[in-house]
Structure formats: C-alpha cells, structure tokens
Amino acid sequence: MQMYAEGGGLVGSAGSAELVRSVLDRGLELYRQGGHLPAEEIARCAALAVQLAERGERIAPLLHAWEVGCSVAVADCWVSARPGEQSELVSLTQWASTGVKEITAAISLAYVHAQKQAGLDTSRRVLADLMLNGATTDELAATAHHTPAKEYVAVAGRVVGEIAPSAATVARASAALTTGDLGLSCQAGRHLCILAPIRSHSGPDEQAGQIVETLKRVGITFAAPAGAVIAPRSELAVAIQQAARIESLANIAGLDGKTVESNQVISELAISRDSEYRRQLISLIDPIVETPELLKTLRTLYLMDLDRTRTARRLNVARRTLTYRLERIEQLTGINPVRTRGILAFVLALAARDLDSSCAVPESA
C-alpha cells in the first residue's frame, strides 16, 4: 500500500498507508484469536474504493497494493518464526489469503457501485481482474451482467500499434464484448486478455474466432495469432499466463490464423522450458550460421513445406542452385535436410535458435 500511496495515488497517502497497516495488524491479532476480519474493517477498506471512483482513479493498483501488503506481512511472520511453528504458519498463510480475497471483493464491489452512481460502468473490467485473482463474487458478476460459466477460453494477444494495451483499448474491448456476453476484457503485462465463457451453443474455436472478429470491428487487431487456452474458472490466472506464452511462441514461429492453442506449438513449448536442450539443438546448425544463404535456404524450404519449386522461386534462385545448397548443408552438418530425421532435427534447431535470440517468451504474463 505504501508503494501505491507513494506512486501518486490521489487518496491521502499517509492515511491510506496507515489504514492498510492497521488492518493487517488487526488481521494478525484476529488470526491468533481464531476470528475473522470484522465488517467494520472491511467497510473501511471499501470506503477507499469509493474515493477512488469519485476521483476517477483506477482500482487495479489498490488491489495490487493489498496483495503485496498481505504477502509482506505473512513473509515477515515466516522470517521471524521459530523452529516448530511451520504448521501454524501454513494455516496463517491460508487464512490471510482468504482475508485478502474478502477485502478485494468488498473494495471492488464498492468501487463499481460508486462508478455507476457517477454514470460510469467498469464492472466488467473489474470482474475480469477479480476472476484472475480468484476473488469474484456472484453479486459482482450480477452487477456486471455476466453469467459465470464452469469453463472459459482464455485468450491473450498483443495489440497492433501498442506496446501494452491502453486503458482505452481495454474499455473498447469490454464494450464490444458486452453484447451477447461474449467475454470479459483485462490487461496482463503486454497482452490484452479476454475471458470468454464457454456456452453449450458454440465450440471454443468458434468462440475465440468470433471474439477476434468482434474486436477487429472496433479497431482492435492482434499483432499475431492470439494464444488460447481452455480452463475451469478457478484456474484462469494460470490459463492467461499459458495463453500469453503460446502467443509469444506462435509469433516467433510465424504461425498464421486467428488463435493458436498449445498443441500447435507443442515443440516450441518443450524447447522453451529446457535451456540445455535448446543449446544442443542450436549446435546442429552452428556449421551454417555464418553462411546466411544456407540458413535462409533451410528456413524457406520448411516454410514452403519441402516444395522445391516454390522454395527456389521464393529464394529467386534456380532449382539446381537450391539442390547444391541442400547438399552443402548436409556436407557441413552431417545431416540430410530432406530426410525425415533431418527435417525433425533442423526444424527444432531453427525454433531453438529463434527462442534463444528472442526475449518475447515471458515466464509469466
């Protein structure tokens, strides 16, 4: 909370930070007594949300501040613990997690109601953030006119022309997807994320494609195929991270299409998780790395699905020249690039080289 206050929050900095400290201290005291955070303490937190809404501030930094504040408080207990107290600390950690979710839900609901009274409605964006935090409530879902589903398609993509999606972009996406309750929008890192409820009347692939087309109609276009992961409502935070990673891998691989699922980048996913395996794969093409025309020939051959006529045309060389280059690749590497084992080895080696030279594959969104 101190970080939020010092970062320019319009709510009184000293008072806000003091409120968080007092609530966290009170929470630890109540835990020792076996109690729950009382309604008046939650109400004090909700009052902050009303002030934010009235001043036009975003709520996400405040929610993040609560999570950080609680994590720091619990971590301090672990650091100062004595031998034999581990079981109690596990219980404290679980209790604190529940408390944070209660406070987060209360703050969010108060914020949404205050914004509606001011003629604004960000309830769907707030709901999306809370679903990722696992702190949503049926009351907030009803306020946002969203019927929760058991499973969702989590879609993550980077928007053309934006390093990270702006608040205006997230708002436009939210408004576009409201009709028919197609999905909820939010931001995770550099990705615009959509949580699309899976209904019985349409399949996940069809639904993801509909979302991409709906966003395109309001001027929001993904720079590359968006990553898509199907997950139960309780696992959406992990699903969004996976979708963002899939998007990054699809971008590196140059895949086409509206959305990409994990089975389409299964090799890249495996390679990205093992740096030693990547190093060994890259070593296979080390002999031709310093010969750009051979490396380009190899890439183009696989891009053209081994069609030598199309490959030669794309490279603007004669077929005889293409044949010579492929023979030269085999001479330098000891691997035939058009035999099954060679194709497998070189395709993975090229993917490993792209992954190793790119910082576009985040560990989390």
Side-chain angles (χ1 to χ4, degrees):
M1 184 62 189
Q2 188 69 45
M3 292 167 56
Y4 168 75
E6 293 175 354
L10 297 181
V11 179
S13 299
S16 300
E18 183 58 35
L19 172 59
V20 173
R21 282 194 292 268
S22 66
V23 172
L24 290 174
D25 289 342
R26 177 62 175 150
L28 292 174
E29 179 184 340
L30 287 167
Y31 168 74
R32 296 187 183 98
Q33 299 172 0
H36 296 281
L37 201 62
E40 59 267 23
E41 297 287 1
I42 294 180
R44 291 176 67 200
C45 300
L48 278 179
V50 174
Q51 293 181 53
L52 288 174
E54 291 174 345
R55 295 170 186 259
E57 287 194 70
R58 292 175 60 241
I59 195 175
L62 177 61
L63 298 180
H64 180 64
W66 276 110
E67 293 176 358
V68 171
C70 183
S71 297
V72 170
V74 172
D76 186 60
C77 292
W78 279 89
V79 170
S80 60
R82 292 171 296 194
E85 294 182 339
Q86 283 77 8
S87 60
E88 181 178 356
L89 287 172
V90 170
S91 179
L92 166 63
T93 303
Q94 295 173 339
W95 183 89
S97 176
T98 300
V100 167
K101 289 181 179 180
E102 290 179 357
I103 292 175
T104 299
I107 291 175
S108 302
L109 196 57
Y111 178 85
V112 167
H113 284 321
Q115 283 222 322
K116 283 196 169 185
Q117 290 178 359
L120 303 172
D121 187 0
T122 58
S123 55
R124 291 178 69 83
R125 281 177 282 161
V126 172
L127 178 61
D129 288 333
L130 285 185
M131 289 183 73
L132 294 182
N133 291 335
T136 187
T137 63
D138 291 340
E139 184 179 3
L140 184 58
T143 300
H145 305 292
H146 174 71
T147 302
K150 292 182 178 180
E151 286 190 315
Y152 284 74
V153 180
V155 178
R158 277 175 281 190
V159 179
V160 170
E162 298 186 28
I163 296 176
S166 64
T169 296
V170 177
R172 288 210 321 276
S174 179
L177 298 172
T178 297
T179 303
D181 196 15
L182 291 178
L184 306 168
S185 67
C186 60
Q187 176 190 350
R190 294 180 294 169
H191 291 83
L192 173 66
C193 302
I194 309 298
L195 306 177
I198 297 179
R199 312 296 186 190
S200 58
H201 59 268
S202 62
D205 291 341
E206 177 186 350
Q207 196 164 1
Q210 185 179 5
I211 287 170
V212 172
E213 289 302 315
T214 299
L215 295 179
K216 190 179 294 185
R217 285 196 290 271
V218 296
I220 300 174
T221 304
F222 288 131
V229 174
I230 300 173
R233 187 170 62 177
S234 60
E235 299 176 10
L236 289 178
V238 174
I240 281 295
Q241 292 182 8
Q242 292 175 338
R245 190 169 186 81
I246 290 170
E247 183 276 336
S248 297
L249 293 171
N251 185 37
I252 291 173
L255 297 183
D256 296 323
K258 297 176 182 177
T259 58
V260 172
E261 297 182 21
S262 60
N263 61 345
Q264 295 172 263
V265 289
I266 191 68
S267 297
E268 288 83 356
L269 279 170
I271 295 170
S272 68
R273 293 176 181 136
D274 192 329
S275 58
E276 175 60 22
Y277 183 37
R278 286 202 306 276
R279 188 191 65 76
Q280 293 179 18
L281 284 170
I282 293 171
S283 69
L284 298 178
I285 55 175
D286 279 346
I288 65 172
V289 166
E290 300 302 324
T291 312
E293 66 269 18
L294 295 184
L295 196 62
K296 184 177 180 180
T297 295
L298 201 59
R299 288 185 182 279
T300 306
L301 178 69
Y302 298 141
L303 183 64
M304 296 293 105
D305 289 327
L306 301 179
D307 187 320
R308 296 199 184 194
T309 300
R310 293 173 59 209
T311 300
R313 187 181 302 126
R314 174 68 66 90
L315 292 171
N316 196 28
V317 299
R319 277 184 59 107
R320 184 169 56 185
T321 301
L322 173 61
T323 299
Y324 168 77
R325 289 184 181 180
L326 296 178
E327 290 173 351
R328 185 61 178 157
I329 290 172
E330 183 176 4
Q331 290 172 0
L332 293 173
T333 64
I335 302 173
N336 189 325
V338 294
R339 297 291 294 271
T340 302
R341 299 296 297 176
I343 295 169
L344 175 61
F346 281 139
V347 166
L348 292 178
L350 290 170
R353 186 171 188 269
D354 290 339
L355 286 169
D356 225 42
S357 62
S358 173
C359 58
V361 186
E363 291 300 324
S364 61

